[in-house]
Amino acid sequence: NAGVTQTPKFQVLKTGQSMTLQCAQDMNHEYMSWYRQDPGMGLRLIHYSVGAGITDQGEVPNGYNVSRSTTEDFPLRLLSAAPSQTSVYFCATRTGTRYTNYGYTFGSGTRLTVV
Amino acid sequence: DQQVKQNSPSLSVQEGRISILNCDYTNSMFDYFLWYKKYPAEGPTFLISISSIKDKNEDGRFTVFLNKSAKHLSLHIVPSQPGDSAVYFCAASTSGSARQLTFGSGTQLTVLP
């Protein structure tokens, strides 16, 4: 049982390059999300999805695209990388309902540097 | 404007003593609070939570206290152990279908042997 798997673990991009951060889960959780962690800022929500075919923006969505074609995968795309996107990115799934306590499971992160 | 604030970036405590990590929030609609622990090169892992209908929740060495009138919560670790050295994030959410988490900036706890 792998939980939430993120690839790659590290990546260096040049400004203007594009790339996709992969996130896969084997827990059949409907909800998946992407966060970025920056020094002094905590984790901030980029995009989230409540199920296949449904995505929505979080707090800091600009510069990122997402899609959700399957329950298992939720890739995050950077179409034209900028130095401001240098960060550590975490994918997370969630269990529970609005009437119960939610439980989040995070991946181990992708450290992205844009030069 | 940060809705969840952890004003202490770091805290050092002697092994065996109590660690107290603090968190303040500004959004009175928050009704569920969580603490996450994060080791380097790993994702955050859930530690303990508390609903706004309670003022205390315990789980082994970890206790979370909630003071709604002061919009303040704290995490107590007793006794502290070197393995507790990590970054601790406070998070909060509101009722509703989204229930997104809003995180604080984290506190680096170092437990000295």
Side-chain angles (χ1 to χ4, degrees), chain B residues 26-85:
Chain B
T26 57
N27 188 344
S28 58
M29 299 300 291
F30 286 144
D31 62 358
Y32 187 53
F33 304 89
L34 310 91
W35 284 94
Y36 281 83
K37 177 178 179 179
K38 184 185 176 307
Y39 292 116
E42 295 183 10
T45 55
F46 172 75
L47 191 57
I48 192 169
S49 64
I50 187 167
S51 166
S52 61
I53 63 173
K54 295 185 176 182
D55 55 17
K56 178 182 175 181
N57 189 27
E58 276 183 271
D59 184 1
R61 297 186 296 113
F62 303 92
T63 302
V64 56
F65 296 92
L66 175 62
N67 182 334
K68 284 174 292 190
S69 60
K71 294 190 177 66
H72 177 84
L73 66 156
S74 60
L75 174 68
H76 293 210
I77 306 173
V78 184
S80 300
Q81 299 173 355
D84 296 328
S85 297

